[in-house]
Amino acid sequence: MPPVSEKTETIVATLLFLMTRYTMEPDPCVGKAIVHHLDLLQNHRDTSDPSITNTCRRLKNHWSDVLSI
């Protein structure tokens, strides 16, 4: 995946918004955007903390499962 120019804070803020939005209206497009943003955060050049990358990986798996139901 190519490097992302967005700040990690922007990605996190967008993720929080998308997750909140999904609880109000479970739209598969929003779910896919959540998975995409988790991937962006996990692979961001400024994300070096293993607990963050591990959490992103686990959440991507969870959201992928949610979307496949």
Side-chain angles (χ1 to χ4, degrees), residues 5-66:
S5 60
E6 292 92 3
K7 292 182 175 181
T8 55
E9 293 86 353
T10 303
I11 297 170
V12 170
T14 303
L15 268 168
L16 293 172
F17 170 78
L18 289 168
M19 288 176 173
T20 302
R21 176 75 180 204
Y22 190 88
T23 64
M24 296 182 323
E25 184 178 341
D27 180 350
C29 290
V30 174
K32 289 177 185 176
I34 291 169
V35 172
H36 175 71
H37 280 76
L38 285 165
D39 194 51
L40 290 176
L41 182 59
Q42 180 182 359
N43 294 298
H44 196 282
R45 67 179 174 266
D46 293 335
T47 304
S48 58
D49 186 332
S51 64
I52 298 293
T53 56
N54 183 45
T55 299
C56 287
R57 181 185 50 78
R58 293 175 69 189
L59 283 171
K60 281 191 319 185
N61 290 337
H62 168 76
W63 280 96
S64 294
D65 289 345
V66 167

